[in-house]
Amino acid sequence: MTRPVLKADMSAMDVLSALHDLFDRFGDSSYGEAVTQRAHMLQCAYIAQKDGGSDAIIIAALLHDIGHLLHSRGERVAEDEGVDMCHEKLGSRFLARHFSPDVTQPIALHVDAKRYLCAKEPGYEAGLSAASTLSLKLQGGRMSEEECAAFEGGVYFDDAIALRRYDDWGKKPNLAVPDLEVYDAIILAQLT
Ligand code: FE
């Protein structure tokens, strides 16, 4: 099944429809969580907005797991095959042609933010979902002290941690939140 690509010469409306296409065609997978990818990302955007996040972080939350929709290895690839698809890198690279680093960098770093919080915040790791706990192992586990120090010094440290909090929150079964169309204007305004 052909999946959309964001070519450099695409118009804003073409980018928007490619994103809708990905959500519509591949958003119903779950990757081991209690909610679909579509519901998860919509919940994350909703909580980012409620939290008073910038438009960039709202769109980062909305699109942070788009990397999961871009590969064809199936939603149980981590569980069944023990393979990390590096969805944060897939997603941030996919988006980088049309979105600024304020959107793509928190996405690229949201797995590292989990590894950081596991090292630094008592109880954080125990509170992760089962799927996040499994993927943590494949993603390198808790950060070392040196890795934590380097991560804290990054420009997008705060945004990456904020996105990670939204990510952990946005896994509620049967929670009704606004649909993708609601964010169209903000997506268009964030396109570079
Ligand atoms: Fe997520």
Side-chain angles (χ1 to χ4, degrees):
M1 216 170 347
T2 319
R3 293 181 191 234
V5 280
L6 298 187
K7 299 194 188 100
D9 61 354
M10 280 169 96
S11 70
M13 291 313 290
D14 285 347
V15 172
L16 186 64
S17 71
L19 295 174
H20 275 267
D21 191 32
L22 274 170
F23 270 65
D24 290 345
R25 288 166 62 205
F26 305 106
D28 288 338
S29 51
S30 73
Y31 297 86
E33 300 288 1
V35 288
T36 65
Q37 280 296 320
R38 183 188 187 95
H40 171 57
M41 293 199 280
L42 290 170
Q43 287 185 22
C44 291
Y46 173 79
I47 190 67
Q49 200 161 34
K50 286 278 169 214
D51 193 42
S54 66
D55 284 353
I57 200 76
I58 292 167
I59 299 308
L62 181 69
L63 302 177
H64 79 278
D65 275 345
I66 205 156
H68 279 313
L69 311 186
L70 294 170
H71 67 75
S72 53
R73 289 293 296 274
E75 56 193 287
R76 291 172 60 91
V77 62
E79 210 176 337
D80 290 349
E81 300 177 53
V83 172
D84 174 16
M85 295 304 293
C86 299
H87 74 284
E88 74 282 11
K89 307 284 188 261
L90 271 179
S92 59
R93 266 189 244 123
F94 174 80
L95 296 168
R97 278 195 175 133
H98 291 282
F99 291 91
S100 74
D102 289 354
V103 173
T104 60
Q105 280 306 296
I107 293 175
L109 296 171
H110 81 277
V111 168
D112 280 345
K114 174 172 72 171
R115 298 181 54 230
Y116 173 87
L117 287 168
C118 285
K120 287 288 191 182
E121 189 170 286
Y124 178 80
E125 189 173 340
L128 287 175
S129 68
S132 274
T133 302
L134 170 72
S135 59
L136 172 70
K137 287 198 193 99
L138 302 175
Q139 290 156 343
R142 286 175 219 141
M143 279 188 175
S144 67
E145 272 308 309
E146 296 72 40
E147 287 175 307
C148 285
F151 190 61
E152 284 166 4
V155 175
Y156 288 98
F157 171 73
D158 289 336
D159 283 350
I161 296 292
L163 176 54
R164 186 69 222 176
R165 305 272 187 212
Y166 305 147
D167 192 2
D168 293 325
W169 184 91
K171 299 177 180 180
K172 313 233 176 328
N174 306 316
L175 178 74
V177 292
D179 210 343
L180 183 57
E181 291 72 28
V182 168
Y183 300 96
D184 283 356
I186 313 180
I187 293 173
L188 289 170
Q190 286 298 308
L191 290 171
T192 54

